[in-house]
Amino acid sequence: IEKTLRSKLDGLRVIHQALHHKSPDFYCIYSSLSADIGNLGQSIYAAANATLNTYAYEQEQLRLAGKQSSRFISISWPYW
């Protein structure tokens, strides 16, 4: 479980830290709709994507509070 969660969130954090000083207009995070509606047999994958969505939400709240300038957008793609 931890490996799946860490791979997605740690990667996002590294990118955010690497680009933070450049203040990009926005970050677009690609998640999965499974984070919102689940998918039989993929609960860990769904939890990892929900974590990405939560990170984007928290960062967007910081922007709205004036603590950072970049927008955070999370797109939950449906099943292919």
Side-chain angles (χ1 to χ4, degrees):
I1 295 173
E2 184 179 342
K3 183 179 178 182
T4 301
L5 292 174
R6 281 185 153 293
S7 66
K8 286 189 172 280
L9 191 55
D10 286 353
L12 176 57
R13 285 184 179 150
V14 167
I15 291 169
H16 184 201
Q17 289 172 356
L19 296 176
H20 182 71
H21 69 283
K22 295 187 179 203
S23 297
D25 292 336
F26 65 93
Y27 293 85
C28 186
I29 300 166
Y30 296 99
S31 175
S32 170
L33 192 57
S34 67
D36 300 316
I37 63 173
N39 191 17
L40 187 61
Q42 293 188 327
S43 59
I44 298 169
Y45 176 74
N49 283 288
T51 302
L52 293 182
N53 293 342
T54 299
Y55 186 86
Y57 174 80
E58 290 171 350
Q59 295 303 312
E60 183 61 12
Q61 294 306 304
L62 290 174
R63 183 188 71 83
L64 294 172
K67 296 181 179 180
Q68 71 178 16
S69 59
S70 300
R71 287 197 69 196
F72 271 77
I73 302 162
S74 183
I75 299 174
S76 297
W77 292 104
Y79 306 117
W80 290 74

